[in-house]
Amino acid sequence: NLMGSSNSTVELIGKAMDEREVVFTSSVNTSFFAVKTTLCCLFGRYELGAHLAIEKNHKRNLNIIGGGFSGLMFWFHRSLCLYAMARKIKTKKKQYIAQAKRIHKELTNSLKNKNPNILHYVSLLNAEKAALAQKKNQDVKKLYNDAITMSARG
């Protein structure tokens, strides 16, 4: 469904696989969860992405410390979904913010520990956090512009 026009952009259903029929082992479940969360972020389905991010059974399978680039990319998308939902749904705002900040902090620590590959992730999360805290509009705009500049550099 991601190769053409589809109304269900975050469902992995097509000729190659059908997520409803996959037998989930621990490693398959973890990979599926990471891909599904990333799709939710990319296609603007933040509520589903945040819901997946707060499911308890996935926390033990995913470790933010270290890991490969794809793992850090997953954590970035996870945090982005949580920040987006914290702005949208006020009743669970504290829950979303707490988890988003925890991930944001770990990514920032990874950057401080000489991981330059995530500078653009941290820059965008800094802007999202400032927007959520309702900082001055000019300050938030500058943070978003900085994040765009960092992302364009790669």
Side-chain angles (χ1 to χ4, degrees), residues 19-146:
E19 71 180 37
R20 298 169 296 193
E21 297 174 4
V22 174
V23 177
F24 287 102
T25 62
S26 181
S27 61
V28 170
N29 191 40
T30 300
S31 297
F32 174 78
F33 171 66
V35 169
K36 187 97 167 168
T37 301
T38 302
L39 286 174
C40 289
C41 185
L42 294 175
F43 287 103
R45 297 281 309 275
Y46 303 118
E47 188 168 4
L48 178 58
H51 171 73
L52 292 171
I54 59 176
E55 283 188 11
K56 305 285 187 233
N57 60 337
H58 294 295
K59 288 183 180 180
R60 60 182 154 75
N61 293 332
L62 299 165
N63 190 358
I64 194 168
I65 308 298
F69 182 73
S70 60
L72 295 172
M73 181 175 59
F74 157 71
W75 285 100
F76 163 74
H77 288 292
R78 184 178 186 178
S79 184
L80 206 54
C81 283
L82 290 163
Y83 275 136
M85 289 311 297
R87 258 190 278 159
K88 186 175 180 181
I89 298 183
K90 304 301 182 195
T91 56
K92 293 185 178 181
K93 185 175 180 175
K94 287 182 181 180
Q95 181 183 15
Y96 291 136
I97 289 174
Q99 291 213 23
K101 283 183 176 180
R102 182 183 59 81
I103 295 167
H104 186 177
K105 181 180 176 184
E106 290 295 335
L107 290 173
T108 301
N109 288 341
S110 182
L111 179 64
K112 288 178 183 175
N113 289 330
K114 311 285 189 243
N115 183 350
N117 297 324
I118 60 168
L119 177 60
H120 56 296
Y121 292 168
V122 173
S123 296
L124 185 55
L125 292 177
N126 287 342
E128 287 291 321
K129 183 178 175 183
L132 190 60
Q134 299 176 351
K135 302 272 185 186
K136 291 182 182 176
N137 193 29
Q138 292 292 60
D139 295 340
V140 173
K141 187 175 179 179
K142 182 181 179 339
L143 287 171
Y144 276 115
N145 285 334
D146 290 347

